[in-house]
Amino acid sequence: NAGVTQTPKFQVLKTGQSMTLQCAQDMNHNSMYWYRQDPGMGLRLIYYSASEGTTDKGEVPNGYNVSRLNKREFSLRLESAAPSQTSVYFCASSEAAGISANEQFFGPGTRLTVL
Amino acid sequence: QQPVQSPQAVILREGEDAVINCSSSKALYSVHWYRQKHGEAPVFLMILLKGGEQKGHEKISASFNEKKQQSSLYLTASQLSYSGTYFCGTVAGGTSYGKLTFGQGTILTVHP
């Protein structure tokens, strides 16, 4: 099993460009998440999908959109990239979200720089 | 609101013990602990649920004080492999139902 995979691993964009970060999991998990990690800020939730067909905003959703394409795949789109979106982006998945949230499995991350 | 971790950084020698604390201003349903090594993804350590249930690795111990909304991670007889950044994540009720909110992290360095 590959676990959680993310593409690309590195990306450099110019301000105003758009791009989509791809994430896929092969563990048959119901819930998937997108986080960004900035120095000294820990991990901040951008969007999550508790189950196939649903998505919900996290702490820092502005400037991002997501699509839960199917149970395996959850993509994150930056429509018009800004320097403030320079960060490391992690995708994660778990069996379920909610009160009894299970452990989350993280992908290797995408290092994005916006010039 | 982000949970607060303390201390921000700890330096140990192999074999020494450390405690990392996590505190929230919200009523919590569960606390999660993760470790992240430099340049890598976070890795799950433990979940502590309201009511006392715990799920996680046998060699890791932690506590969850539901009344104080605080959790502590206990690292005993530290090894070089324990080095990394430790994050607590909290699941609270109300409008943040189901969302895991992470603290800012505690950097642990273990020297030989």
Side-chain angles (χ1 to χ4, degrees):
Chain A
N1 288 347
V4 179
T5 57
Q6 293 182 234
T7 56
K9 291 186 178 179
F10 301 93
Q11 184 70 50
V12 178
L13 293 178
K14 294 181 179 178
T15 297
Q17 288 185 318
S18 62
M19 78 161 296
T20 299
L21 281 64
Q22 306 286 353
C23 174
Q25 52 91 10
D26 62 1
M27 295 173 282
N28 200 36
H29 284 168
N30 290 304
S31 302
M32 298 185 73
Y33 314 82
W34 275 107
Y35 294 94
R36 62 176 288 173
Q37 186 172 37
D38 303 298
M41 297 294 292
L43 294 147
R44 292 184 292 171
L45 184 64
I46 304 171
Y47 271 93
Y48 73 107
S49 172
S51 61
E52 187 179 356
T54 68
T55 60
D56 201 356
K57 295 179 181 178
E59 299 173 63
V60 288
N62 292 344
Y64 305 95
N65 285 303
V66 291
S67 295
R68 184 74 182 267
L69 304 171
N70 48 56
K71 191 171 185 179
R72 290 187 63 250
E73 299 172 290
F74 189 38
S75 64
L76 178 72
R77 183 161 178 83
L78 286 71
E79 291 291 350
S80 179
S84 61
Q85 293 179 304
T86 294
S87 188
V88 180
Y89 291 84
F90 287 101
C91 176
S93 71
S94 68
E95 286 186 16
I99 293 175
S100 59
N102 306 104
E103 65 176 286
Q104 294 186 16
F105 294 80
F106 285 80
T110 294
R111 283 147 183 81
L112 176 68
T113 301
V114 183
L115 302 175
Chain B
Q1 189 173 357
Q2 199 177 24
V4 176
Q5 290 184 230
S6 63
Q8 291 187 341
V10 184
I11 300 175
L12 300 174
R13 292 203 176 275
E14 274 187 295
E16 293 181 337
D17 302 337
V19 180
I20 300 173
N21 301 302
C22 175
S23 179
S24 175
S25 60
K26 295 186 175 183
L28 301 177
Y29 289 108
S30 64
V31 179
H32 302 218
W33 287 96
Y34 287 78
R35 178 171 60 210
Q36 184 180 31
K37 294 188 178 287
H38 183 69
E40 299 181 6
V43 174
F44 168 78
L45 295 176
M46 174 166 282
I47 292 176
L48 301 104
L49 301 170
K50 189 177 181 179
E53 184 181 354
Q54 297 185 3
K55 310 180 201 178
H57 297 284
E58 294 178 357
K59 294 186 177 181
I60 299 289
S61 65
S63 65
F64 178 21
N65 186 324
E66 297 172 28
K67 291 183 180 179
K68 292 186 176 181
Q69 312 305 331
Q70 294 175 347
S71 178
S72 295
L73 184 70
Y74 305 99
L75 301 166
T76 57
S78 60
Q79 305 171 16
L80 294 176
S81 61
Y82 287 11
S83 292
T85 302
Y86 290 76
F87 293 98
C88 70
T90 57
V91 177
T95 56
S96 60
Y97 177 81
K99 300 176 186 177
L100 190 61
T101 304
F102 284 94
Q104 81 280 15
T106 295
I107 301 171
L108 178 71
T109 305
V110 181
H111 291 296

